[in-house]
Structures are given as C-alpha cells and as structure tokens.
Amino acid sequence: MSLRLDDQLCFPLVAAARAVQAVYRPVLAELGLTYPQYLVLLVLWESDGQSVSALGQRLHLDSGTLTPLLQRLERSGLVRRERSQPDQRVVIVHLTPSGDALRERAACIPSQIVGALGSAPDVDLAAFKATLQRLTEALVMEPG
Amino acid sequence: MSLRLDDQLCFPLVAAARAVQAVYRPVLAELGLTYPQYLVLLVLWESDGQSVSALGQRLHLDSGTLTPLLQRLERSGLVRRERSQPDQRVVIVHLTPSGDALRERAACIPSQIVGALGSAPDVDLAAFKATLQRLTEALVMEPG
DNA sequence: CACAATTCAATTGTGCACAATACATATAGG
DNA sequence: CCTATATGTATTGTGCACAATTGAATTGTG
C-alpha cells in the first residue's frame, strides 16, 4: 500500500460525500435547511415523535451533534421538543404543523437531486448504494 | 422518488464517509493527526512546497478550511509556511524535517485501514473507487 | 427501602466545512 | 505612471462532528 492520495479509498469517498452535499445545499437553502437538518426531518416525516437517541441511532449521530441542531430546528419553528412523561430523561421531538407542511415543499427535492446526479454516467445507483451500506454496516459493527 | 431516508443515495454516502473517518481516527490519533490533516500531509509527501491554493485544488478545500488547519500543523511543528518571494500573495507550505519523518511512521496506515475494511465483504474496491471518482468529477464540474 | 449502575440528554471544547468579506499584492489598460 | 480588475490568503461567523464530562432520572439488586 502506498501513501499516494490517488491510491487511497477514503479520500474519494469523503470528497464524493462533500460534493453531493454541495448539490443539496442551494436546494435546501430555499427551505432554510442544512443537509443534516434535512436528514432529521426525513426521519421525522417517516415517523413523528421520536427521541433524540432514536434519531441518533438512525442517523449515526450523537447528542452533541443533535441537541444544538434540534434547538435550531425548534427556533425555526419546525419541531417542538418535550420531555417524555414516563421517562423524564427522554426528549421527544415532534413536528410542528409548519414542520409537517414543509414535507410538501420538500417532495420535489429527490427528483431534483437525481437530475443533478444524472450527469454522472454509468453509475449503477442501486448497486452503489448497496456497497455503501455494506461498507458502513461492516465498519459500525467493527472493533469499536 | 420518495422522501424515505432509506431511498436516498446521499445518506449512505455521507454515513459511509463518516464511518471510514472513524476507522482512521484512533490510528491517526497516535500520530497526533486528524484525518484532514493527514490528507494534507499525503499531498505534501507526494510533492513538498505547494501553495495553499494548490492544496485546496487537490483536496477540494478552500482557504477558510486550510488556513487554520495549516496553522495547527505549523504549531505541531510538521510544516512551515512562508510567502513566495516572486508573488507575495502566495503562501508556500513546506514540510519540516519532523513532518517529513512522520511519513515513515505513517507508512503502515494504509494497510491497517485496508485490514479494518477487509471485513466488508464482496466490495470491489477498485470499481467502487472509480464510481466515487466519476461521481465527484461529474458534480464538481456541474452547474455551479 | 437504599444504593449502585445504567441510561439519556445537555454541555464544553476542539476541529472541520463553507459563505462572505476584507485586504494585500499583482497585472493590464489607458 | 495610474487606476481598474483580478488573484491569493486571511478573517469572521454559522453550523456540523465528536470526545469527554456532567447531571438528572431510571432501573436493578440486596
């Protein structure tokens, strides 16, 4: 194994992740969202009223990342946070009506993004995604 | 296109990038490096004495990211920054002897990482890397 | 019941990513 | 030469990622 940048696997992966987020950025900016905020909303649109730790498991993020992010979403009026009655340690995140309504405005985003990605030729998206998921799962289970 | 998290391409990509960086983290911590700092050193080990903007082009990073990162590497004694004589706007980054010497200690990193990734079965690394690079290039050239 | 261990969120601190701006230097046109 | 424009880095501000710690609340065990 060499130390040449072009021989590394990780750099293309990280660079691609940054590049794709850059495609989302202007689209999401119109909704006043960042990409990680959008991910949180995706999860809540699927199933509202989840705890911080449940969101963290789904997105592989910890409370140090989620707490301030959720506070910003709360200041934007998109979510509401409240302690669970049965377990006061747990904070449940709910969509507000405005957060729920944003779902309709976001509906067109996936196709917009796919359109922008369309110029990447000959990429088997399904297989590519499967590879990414296998890789992530293998690493998350890892030594640590 | 749906808004379900599992249907998105981008999230697996971003999650995989984070997971791979997490594999590097403890390995690089022994050298006192972060992953982006390691990338900068990879580029300098290939070819010492590059400008900030040249590093930025190679790594797709701007001065707002690189300037403080390089200042930290300078405080660590691994690089030296000096203005180019012919063009005083340009800052050239040089490896110090200690930065150059670190290359030997880093030599074993790629194989360590490949070992950790080895548990991700059935991933054709070469094809996967090619896909990532095609994707990144297509996006970098894009509209913006 | 009491107390230890665990769980969950929040906080703090460091570092990266990027937009916007500022500022110095360099180059070109007149 | 002198000014307009372009270039290269640095700075500032916002937001994300993560380690480490804190503190409250819950659960398990004796």
Side-chain angles (χ1 to χ4, degrees), chain B residues 109-132:
Chain B
I109 290 182
S111 58
Q112 282 185 257
I113 302 299
V114 168
L117 267 63
S119 52
D122 306 326
V123 174
D124 180 344
L125 288 183
F128 181 52
K129 197 175 75 173
T131 299
L132 289 166

Side-chain angles (χ1 to χ4, degrees), chain B residues 15-32:
Chain B
R18 287 204 308 256
V20 173
Q21 289 187 68
V23 173
Y24 276 87
R25 200 168 296 122
V27 176
L28 292 174
E30 293 181 28
L31 306 187

